[in-house]
Amino acid sequence: MVKSLIALLSTTAASVAIAADPTATTASAKEIILNQKTVAELALSQGYQTKQVNLQYQTYRLAVAQVLSTYDWNVAAATGYQYDKSVSLLNIGNAELDNKLQQYQTTISLQKPFTSGTLLGVELSRLSQQADLDPASPFTAPDNQTADLAGITLEQSLWGNFFGNADRATVNAANYNYDAQSILRANDLENVVLDAIRQYWTTYTAQENFKEAITSRDRYKKLVDAVKRKTSLGYSNPGDLPQAQAEFETREQAVKTASTDYLNNLTTLVTQLNLDPNADIKFMPTTLLPPVPKLPPKNVEDLRAIRSQKLKVSAAKESLDASKSLSYPTLNLVGKAYTSGWGENSRDSYSQLTSGDKPKYYIGLRFAYHFGSDVQNEDVVNKKINKDLEETRLSLQTLQATDAQTQAERRVQETYAVALSAEKQKSFREKAAQELNRSYAQGRTDISILITAMNNFVAAEVAYIQAVGNYHIALNEWASTRDELIPDTSSENR
């Protein structure tokens, strides 16, 4: 595309354009044909903005995982050796006694919190001791002993997070927030597609403006030549030739400006679609003007933005429920059951442990309450304000979504009417320029009138192309307000 356009320039203009794009003369460049459909597909399949959106939404998964990590299994193990020659009950009253204890202790525990407000735990421990007591010690004990302990613990919330009310509400809030964010992914991708389509039409318009600048310059070159002939024959009016020559220089400037504008827009489009910078880009846009489609009303409640905001409202309500539940004092039911064993060796200790002859049980209540800063009540107030804020946003977004659809439809109707009018205007401008050109050749029209008509014709041609692009952009924007540019996908729902 760049090569074919630059070939139309004069030697001076061509050197400027090639300097702006050194790859324009690459003969083996890959050809890429773009239209509105392929631009949308390329933006979604390989554009960096699409990759950025997808990666951004992947980061939202961590928040849910962090909440659920509270209910992970927790296993802990500790083992160690202790050498004890300190003063103890074994040598109290006679510090000169030389008692030595060597102990090996191993403990393994497993805990699992549940969203029912329950904490379940299992614990196993073994203590092996080798004693070297002073013969003068009044205490006697076997040289080797092993004690085993196994137990299960259960803790249940009774007040403050009553049977897991706060836990479940916190998990639900995290899931609602994640789902709300995931729904909006398609909307962000729609914005990526719309940006690419806008850039496509901007670049195409810049290309056509460049072509028209070249064509206009050639027209004025012919006009200058014609005026020179009339001047040599004495038929031209005073000032005709300088006016024509000045306008020709204006066209020369317009060519250089349009060339730079087109190349800059083309570079932006290539980057946006992640295309090969050396590719030969060709545009195949549709210049047809399909009539404004008749679409049934779209229920705003079904729009992704509204569904997302409803989930945010639900998340805020769950967070408020969790805050209220946690504002009460903590009262937990605690139960423990252990069995133990003892022996001069590990086998005897384990046998007694498994027999259950030496049990230990505990049941009770554990109470805790923090006070002084009133942070619990402030947190409840904060969560209620946040809930009211999300509900207000929902009401506002519902109204804005209705307005956006109405305004987008009006924009489509307006751009369609403007495009039809621009098509007629281009035809009239062309006819006027042709008639005035013949009239000037016959000496019946002032050259300034002809120049104005020619300039108006060039502007009308560019305006028509811009109007067609605006209409197609408006159609896509209307589809976007109805969530129909990119349909819902199963990945939005977990």
Side-chain angles (χ1 to χ4, degrees), residues 337-366:
Y338 290 95
T339 178
S340 59
W342 176 88
E344 293 188 11
N345 55 60
S346 59
R347 183 177 60 185
D348 294 341
S349 175
Y350 181 75
S351 177
Q352 189 176 69
L353 175 77
T354 56
S355 68
D357 292 339
K358 303 295 182 181
K360 181 173 71 172
Y361 303 105
Y362 171 84
I363 188 169
L365 297 174
R366 183 165 60 83

mmCIF file of all heavy atoms in Angstrom, residues 337-366:
data_model
loop_
_atom_site.group_PDB
_atom_site.id
_atom_site.type_symbol
_atom_site.label_atom_id
_atom_site.label_comp_id
_atom_site.label_asym_id
_atom_site.label_seq_id
_atom_site.Cartn_x
_atom_site.Cartn_y
_atom_site.Cartn_z
ATOM 1 N N ALA A 337 -10.113 -34.618 73.265
ATOM 2 C CA ALA A 337 -10.089 -36.023 73.697
ATOM 3 C C ALA A 337 -8.714 -36.592 73.378
ATOM 4 O O ALA A 337 -8.272 -36.532 72.223
ATOM 5 C CB ALA A 337 -11.179 -36.825 72.999
ATOM 6 N N TYR A 338 -8.048 -37.148 74.414
ATOM 7 C CA TYR A 338 -6.695 -37.685 74.252
ATOM 8 C C TYR A 338 -6.634 -39.104 74.790
ATOM 9 O O TYR A 338 -7.387 -39.488 75.701
ATOM 10 C CB TYR A 338 -5.665 -36.834 75.007
ATOM 11 C CG TYR A 338 -5.423 -35.477 74.422
ATOM 12 C CD1 TYR A 338 -6.110 -34.363 74.906
ATOM 13 C CD2 TYR A 338 -4.509 -35.298 73.404
ATOM 14 C CE1 TYR A 338 -5.884 -33.107 74.374
ATOM 15 C CE2 TYR A 338 -4.273 -34.041 72.859
ATOM 16 C CZ TYR A 338 -4.955 -32.956 73.349
ATOM 17 O OH TYR A 338 -4.733 -31.717 72.820
ATOM 18 N N THR A 339 -5.745 -39.839 74.265
ATOM 19 C CA THR A 339 -5.373 -41.131 74.824
ATOM 20 C C THR A 339 -3.855 -41.153 74.918
ATOM 21 O O THR A 339 -3.167 -40.585 74.076
ATOM 22 C CB THR A 339 -5.877 -42.298 73.965
ATOM 23 O OG1 THR A 339 -5.442 -43.535 74.545
ATOM 24 C CG2 THR A 339 -5.358 -42.220 72.537
ATOM 25 N N SER A 340 -3.352 -41.784 75.968
ATOM 26 C CA SER A 340 -1.908 -41.741 76.209
ATOM 27 C C SER A 340 -1.378 -43.138 76.505
ATOM 28 O O SER A 340 -2.129 -44.075 76.791
ATOM 29 C CB SER A 340 -1.593 -40.798 77.378
ATOM 30 O OG SER A 340 -2.256 -41.236 78.562
ATOM 31 N N GLY A 341 -0.073 -43.238 76.434
ATOM 32 C CA GLY A 341 0.578 -44.510 76.729
ATOM 33 C C GLY A 341 1.969 -44.272 77.291
ATOM 34 O O GLY A 341 2.610 -43.250 77.000
ATOM 35 N N TRP A 342 2.421 -45.214 78.118
ATOM 36 C CA TRP A 342 3.740 -45.091 78.733
ATOM 37 C C TRP A 342 4.372 -46.478 78.795
ATOM 38 O O TRP A 342 3.685 -47.492 78.970
ATOM 39 C CB TRP A 342 3.636 -44.506 80.131
ATOM 40 C CG TRP A 342 4.969 -44.440 80.850
ATOM 41 C CD1 TRP A 342 5.855 -43.437 80.812
ATOM 42 C CD2 TRP A 342 5.535 -45.456 81.682
ATOM 43 N NE1 TRP A 342 6.959 -43.724 81.553
ATOM 44 C CE2 TRP A 342 6.799 -44.989 82.122
ATOM 45 C CE3 TRP A 342 5.107 -46.720 82.103
ATOM 46 C CZ2 TRP A 342 7.630 -45.734 82.938
ATOM 47 C CZ3 TRP A 342 5.948 -47.447 82.921
ATOM 48 C CH2 TRP A 342 7.193 -46.963 83.337
ATOM 49 N N GLY A 343 5.667 -46.494 78.650
ATOM 50 C CA GLY A 343 6.389 -47.765 78.750
ATOM 51 C C GLY A 343 7.885 -47.519 78.741
ATOM 52 O O GLY A 343 8.357 -46.409 78.447
ATOM 53 N N GLU A 344 8.606 -48.577 79.099
ATOM 54 C CA GLU A 344 10.063 -48.447 79.098
ATOM 55 C C GLU A 344 10.628 -48.532 77.677
ATOM 56 O O GLU A 344 11.812 -48.265 77.464
ATOM 57 C CB GLU A 344 10.694 -49.525 79.983
ATOM 58 C CG GLU A 344 10.349 -49.335 81.460
ATOM 59 C CD GLU A 344 11.134 -50.285 82.345
ATOM 60 O OE1 GLU A 344 12.075 -50.926 81.823
ATOM 61 O OE2 GLU A 344 10.815 -50.381 83.526
ATOM 62 N N ASN A 345 9.785 -48.872 76.722
ATOM 63 C CA ASN A 345 10.200 -48.850 75.318
ATOM 64 C C ASN A 345 9.010 -48.400 74.473
ATOM 65 O O ASN A 345 7.871 -48.338 74.958
ATOM 66 C CB ASN A 345 10.728 -50.220 74.859
ATOM 67 C CG ASN A 345 9.715 -51.330 75.103
ATOM 68 O OD1 ASN A 345 8.594 -51.301 74.568
ATOM 69 N ND2 ASN A 345 10.083 -52.320 75.935
ATOM 70 N N SER A 346 9.270 -48.080 73.244
ATOM 71 C CA SER A 346 8.227 -47.517 72.374
ATOM 72 C C SER A 346 7.108 -48.513 72.100
ATOM 73 O O SER A 346 5.947 -48.125 71.944
ATOM 74 C CB SER A 346 8.861 -47.053 71.055
ATOM 75 O OG SER A 346 9.496 -48.125 70.399
ATOM 76 N N ARG A 347 7.439 -49.795 72.069
ATOM 77 C CA ARG A 347 6.400 -50.789 71.793
ATOM 78 C C ARG A 347 5.374 -50.826 72.911
ATOM 79 O O ARG A 347 4.162 -50.859 72.666
ATOM 80 C CB ARG A 347 7.034 -52.151 71.600
ATOM 81 C CG ARG A 347 6.031 -53.253 71.240
ATOM 82 C CD ARG A 347 6.737 -54.566 70.996
ATOM 83 N NE ARG A 347 7.474 -54.971 72.210
ATOM 84 C CZ ARG A 347 8.277 -56.031 72.270
ATOM 85 N NH1 ARG A 347 8.454 -56.782 71.187
ATOM 86 N NH2 ARG A 347 8.903 -56.331 73.385
ATOM 87 N N ASP A 348 5.830 -50.821 74.170
ATOM 88 C CA ASP A 348 4.899 -50.851 75.298
ATOM 89 C C ASP A 348 4.066 -49.577 75.346
ATOM 90 O O ASP A 348 2.862 -49.603 75.622
ATOM 91 C CB ASP A 348 5.671 -51.028 76.602
ATOM 92 C CG ASP A 348 6.350 -52.385 76.700
ATOM 93 O OD1 ASP A 348 5.937 -53.304 75.948
ATOM 94 O OD2 ASP A 348 7.295 -52.518 77.504
ATOM 95 N N SER A 349 4.737 -48.427 75.063
ATOM 96 C CA SER A 349 4.014 -47.158 75.097
ATOM 97 C C SER A 349 2.932 -47.120 74.026
ATOM 98 O O SER A 349 1.797 -46.697 74.271
ATOM 99 C CB SER A 349 4.996 -46.004 74.900
ATOM 100 O OG SER A 349 4.304 -44.783 74.812
ATOM 101 N N TYR A 350 3.257 -47.576 72.839
ATOM 102 C CA TYR A 350 2.286 -47.562 71.743
ATOM 103 C C TYR A 350 1.130 -48.517 72.007
ATOM 104 O O TYR A 350 -0.023 -48.219 71.714
ATOM 105 C CB TYR A 350 2.992 -47.932 70.436
ATOM 106 C CG TYR A 350 2.070 -47.926 69.241
ATOM 107 C CD1 TYR A 350 1.643 -46.748 68.677
ATOM 108 C CD2 TYR A 350 1.613 -49.133 68.697
ATOM 109 C CE1 TYR A 350 0.783 -46.738 67.591
ATOM 110 C CE2 TYR A 350 0.756 -49.135 67.614
ATOM 111 C CZ TYR A 350 0.352 -47.939 67.069
ATOM 112 O OH TYR A 350 -0.500 -47.947 66.004
ATOM 113 N N SER A 351 1.432 -49.644 72.616
ATOM 114 C CA SER A 351 0.382 -50.626 72.930
ATOM 115 C C SER A 351 -0.615 -50.040 73.912
ATOM 116 O O SER A 351 -1.830 -50.211 73.768
ATOM 117 C CB SER A 351 1.021 -51.894 73.483
ATOM 118 O OG SER A 351 0.021 -52.822 73.849
ATOM 119 N N GLN A 352 -0.110 -49.339 74.917
ATOM 120 C CA GLN A 352 -1.008 -48.735 75.894
ATOM 121 C C GLN A 352 -1.802 -47.588 75.261
ATOM 122 O O GLN A 352 -2.971 -47.371 75.577
ATOM 123 C CB GLN A 352 -0.195 -48.223 77.093
ATOM 124 C CG GLN A 352 -1.075 -47.770 78.258
ATOM 125 C CD GLN A 352 -0.250 -47.372 79.457
ATOM 126 O OE1 GLN A 352 0.445 -46.365 79.430
ATOM 127 N NE2 GLN A 352 -0.316 -48.183 80.520
ATOM 128 N N LEU A 353 -1.143 -46.861 74.360
ATOM 129 C CA LEU A 353 -1.829 -45.762 73.673
ATOM 130 C C LEU A 353 -3.025 -46.279 72.886
ATOM 131 O O LEU A 353 -4.127 -45.720 72.957
ATOM 132 C CB LEU A 353 -0.847 -45.046 72.750
ATOM 133 C CG LEU A 353 -1.422 -43.943 71.853
ATOM 134 C CD1 LEU A 353 -1.655 -42.691 72.671
ATOM 135 C CD2 LEU A 353 -0.495 -43.646 70.687
ATOM 136 N N THR A 354 -2.836 -47.318 72.143
ATOM 137 C CA THR A 354 -3.914 -47.832 71.296
ATOM 138 C C THR A 354 -4.988 -48.556 72.081
ATOM 139 O O THR A 354 -6.108 -48.710 71.599
ATOM 140 C CB THR A 354 -3.334 -48.764 70.233
ATOM 141 O OG1 THR A 354 -2.574 -49.814 70.876
ATOM 142 C CG2 THR A 354 -2.422 -48.002 69.278
ATOM 143 N N SER A 355 -4.660 -48.978 73.270
ATOM 144 C CA SER A 355 -5.681 -49.679 74.074
ATOM 145 C C SER A 355 -6.739 -48.726 74.603
ATOM 146 O O SER A 355 -7.862 -49.130 74.916
ATOM 147 C CB SER A 355 -5.007 -50.407 75.231
ATOM 148 O OG SER A 355 -4.482 -49.481 76.170
ATOM 149 N N GLY A 356 -6.364 -47.427 74.732
ATOM 150 C CA GLY A 356 -7.320 -46.455 75.229
ATOM 151 C C GLY A 356 -7.547 -46.515 76.719
ATOM 152 O O GLY A 356 -8.535 -45.958 77.223
ATOM 153 N N ASP A 357 -6.647 -47.132 77.446
ATOM 154 C CA ASP A 357 -6.828 -47.266 78.892
ATOM 155 C C ASP A 357 -6.527 -45.972 79.640
ATOM 156 O O ASP A 357 -6.931 -45.825 80.802
ATOM 157 C CB ASP A 357 -5.911 -48.368 79.440
ATOM 158 C CG ASP A 357 -6.342 -49.757 78.949
ATOM 159 O OD1 ASP A 357 -7.524 -49.878 78.551
ATOM 160 O OD2 ASP A 357 -5.506 -50.682 78.942
ATOM 161 N N LYS A 358 -5.796 -45.073 79.019
ATOM 162 C CA LYS A 358 -5.408 -43.846 79.709
ATOM 163 C C LYS A 358 -5.944 -42.617 78.960
ATOM 164 O O LYS A 358 -5.215 -41.849 78.360
ATOM 165 C CB LYS A 358 -3.878 -43.755 79.791
ATOM 166 C CG LYS A 358 -3.203 -44.940 80.472
ATOM 167 C CD LYS A 358 -3.603 -45.023 81.936
ATOM 168 C CE LYS A 358 -2.869 -46.201 82.619
ATOM 169 N NZ LYS A 358 -3.277 -46.312 84.054
ATOM 170 N N PRO A 359 -7.259 -42.405 78.966
ATOM 171 C CA PRO A 359 -7.830 -41.276 78.229
ATOM 172 C C PRO A 359 -7.793 -39.979 79.045
ATOM 173 O O PRO A 359 -7.634 -39.996 80.272
ATOM 174 C CB PRO A 359 -9.267 -41.726 77.977
ATOM 175 C CG PRO A 359 -9.578 -42.569 79.175
ATOM 176 C CD PRO A 359 -8.300 -43.261 79.575
ATOM 177 N N LYS A 360 -7.988 -38.880 78.328
ATOM 178 C CA LYS A 360 -8.146 -37.561 78.958
ATOM 179 C C LYS A 360 -9.132 -36.766 78.117
ATOM 180 O O LYS A 360 -8.996 -36.701 76.900
ATOM 181 C CB LYS A 360 -6.804 -36.833 79.039
ATOM 182 C CG LYS A 360 -6.922 -35.454 79.712
ATOM 183 C CD LYS A 360 -5.551 -34.807 79.942
ATOM 184 C CE LYS A 360 -4.936 -34.359 78.643
ATOM 185 N NZ LYS A 360 -3.698 -33.562 78.879
ATOM 186 N N TYR A 361 -10.128 -36.176 78.782
ATOM 187 C CA TYR A 361 -11.164 -35.436 78.060
ATOM 188 C C TYR A 361 -11.276 -34.025 78.628
ATOM 189 O O TYR A 361 -11.031 -33.796 79.824
ATOM 190 C CB TYR A 361 -12.521 -36.134 78.185
ATOM 191 C CG TYR A 361 -12.522 -37.557 77.714
ATOM 192 C CD1 TYR A 361 -12.538 -38.604 78.644
ATOM 193 C CD2 TYR A 361 -12.501 -37.864 76.363
ATOM 194 C CE1 TYR A 361 -12.539 -39.919 78.222
ATOM 195 C CE2 TYR A 361 -12.506 -39.178 75.931
ATOM 196 C CZ TYR A 361 -12.513 -40.202 76.867
ATOM 197 O OH TYR A 361 -12.502 -41.504 76.450
ATOM 198 N N TYR A 362 -11.670 -33.130 77.736
ATOM 199 C CA TYR A 362 -11.900 -31.753 78.168
ATOM 200 C C TYR A 362 -13.009 -31.159 77.316
ATOM 201 O O TYR A 362 -13.037 -31.341 76.097
ATOM 202 C CB TYR A 362 -10.635 -30.900 78.017
ATOM 203 C CG TYR A 362 -10.884 -29.424 78.248
ATOM 204 C CD1 TYR A 362 -10.892 -28.895 79.530
ATOM 205 C CD2 TYR A 362 -11.136 -28.560 77.176
ATOM 206 C CE1 TYR A 362 -11.127 -27.546 79.740
ATOM 207 C CE2 TYR A 362 -11.376 -27.216 77.376
ATOM 208 C CZ TYR A 362 -11.374 -26.711 78.661
ATOM 209 O OH TYR A 362 -11.627 -25.380 78.879
ATOM 210 N N ILE A 363 -13.910 -30.450 77.978
ATOM 211 C CA ILE A 363 -14.941 -29.691 77.270
ATOM 212 C C ILE A 363 -15.163 -28.397 78.025
ATOM 213 O O ILE A 363 -15.181 -28.381 79.270
ATOM 214 C CB ILE A 363 -16.256 -30.494 77.134
ATOM 215 C CG1 ILE A 363 -17.231 -29.744 76.222
ATOM 216 C CG2 ILE A 363 -16.870 -30.785 78.503
ATOM 217 C CD1 ILE A 363 -18.430 -30.576 75.813
ATOM 218 N N GLY A 364 -15.282 -27.302 77.264
ATOM 219 C CA GLY A 364 -15.439 -26.022 77.919
ATOM 220 C C GLY A 364 -15.760 -24.922 76.925
ATOM 221 O O GLY A 364 -16.001 -25.169 75.730
ATOM 222 N N LEU A 365 -15.779 -23.712 77.401
ATOM 223 C CA LEU A 365 -16.072 -22.532 76.589
ATOM 224 C C LEU A 365 -14.882 -21.581 76.634
ATOM 225 O O LEU A 365 -14.204 -21.443 77.658
ATOM 226 C CB LEU A 365 -17.321 -21.817 77.102
ATOM 227 C CG LEU A 365 -18.641 -22.603 77.043
ATOM 228 C CD1 LEU A 365 -19.750 -21.817 77.731
ATOM 229 C CD2 LEU A 365 -19.021 -22.888 75.592
ATOM 230 N N ARG A 366 -14.653 -20.909 75.510
ATOM 231 C CA ARG A 366 -13.595 -19.908 75.451
ATOM 232 C C ARG A 366 -14.205 -18.595 74.990
ATOM 233 O O ARG A 366 -14.817 -18.525 73.925
ATOM 234 C CB ARG A 366 -12.487 -20.352 74.486
ATOM 235 C CG ARG A 366 -11.315 -19.388 74.428
ATOM 236 C CD ARG A 366 -10.117 -20.031 73.756
ATOM 237 N NE ARG A 366 -10.428 -20.436 72.394
ATOM 238 C CZ ARG A 366 -10.385 -19.610 71.344
ATOM 239 N NH1 ARG A 366 -10.071 -18.345 71.512
ATOM 240 N NH2 ARG A 366 -10.674 -20.057 70.143
#
